[in-house]
Amino acid sequence: LFLDIDGVLNINSKLQEVGKLYKPAMVNLEYLLKKEPELKIVISSSWRHKGIDQVRNMLKENGINPNKIIDVTGNEQSNDERDHRGYQVECWLKRHPEVKKFAILDDHTDFVPLKHKLVKTNTYEGLTENKVEKVIDVLNE
């Protein structure tokens, strides 16, 4: 699962401190991880710049097993700014050809070639139960 933080797990820009994520979204992420026990997380959020350990700690403080977070995407730049994160996900997937099933959870749409794998959240609602079911559908396509 390529996971964004802001707009998915954090819906209040004033709460961007470690440990203060949106509780309903965290409950839904925990539910997703229970429904899909093999699922691992790659952080595609700008929060990846804080370092994987800090992101793991933040998610751990919110009830998520830190061992589920296995990596972060890189900083590759696309020639097409409309596909910034999508390009970074593509580059990560090229480095990890063993990954056959994945979904992207984000509140942005800059995933042009991977749009069929994107489950877009509403920035002001975050990860809802409905979006969890859509992620499961994408994983099982």
Side-chain angles (χ1 to χ4, degrees), residues 4-139:
D4 183 26
I5 304 288
D6 292 328
V8 178
L9 303 178
N10 178 29
I11 64 166
N12 185 340
S13 61
K14 294 178 184 174
L15 298 180
Q16 291 188 2
E17 298 171 30
V18 171
K20 294 190 177 184
L21 296 176
Y22 185 53
K23 184 67 173 169
M26 295 308 301
V27 168
N28 288 325
L29 178 59
E30 191 173 357
Y31 173 72
L32 172 60
L33 293 171
K34 284 182 182 170
K35 290 278 286 188
E36 297 288 332
E38 300 299 312
L39 192 62
K40 301 292 184 194
I41 297 171
V42 175
I43 302 297
S44 55
S45 168
S46 60
W47 284 60
R48 71 188 186 284
H49 298 297
K50 294 178 181 283
I52 193 167
D53 290 334
Q54 187 166 347
V55 175
R56 280 182 178 140
N57 288 336
M58 175 187 60
L59 292 175
K60 180 181 178 182
E61 289 174 11
N62 285 274
I64 302 302
N65 178 350
N67 295 327
K68 290 289 187 176
I69 298 91
I70 60 165
D71 205 356
V72 297
T73 56
N75 295 317
E76 299 88 357
Q77 295 294 315
S78 169
N79 291 332
D80 183 353
E81 283 302 312
R82 295 170 297 165
D83 185 37
H84 184 67
R85 285 195 191 171
Y87 183 70
Q88 292 169 347
V89 168
E90 278 187 307
C91 290
W92 190 95
L93 288 166
K94 284 179 186 171
R95 291 190 300 272
H96 299 275
E98 71 279 7
V99 175
K100 305 295 183 205
K101 290 175 25 172
F102 67 94
I104 301 166
L105 196 49
D106 205 302
D107 66 324
H108 291 105
T109 59
D110 52 345
F111 295 92
V112 175
L114 301 172
K115 210 159 201 135
H116 63 289
K117 295 291 191 174
L118 173 65
V119 176
K120 185 182 180 309
T121 61
N122 178 310
T123 304
Y124 304 104
E125 293 179 346
L127 180 57
T128 62
E129 290 178 30
N130 185 356
K131 298 301 181 183
V132 167
E133 295 305 323
K134 288 183 179 184
V135 169
I136 293 169
D137 290 344
V138 169
L139 291 171

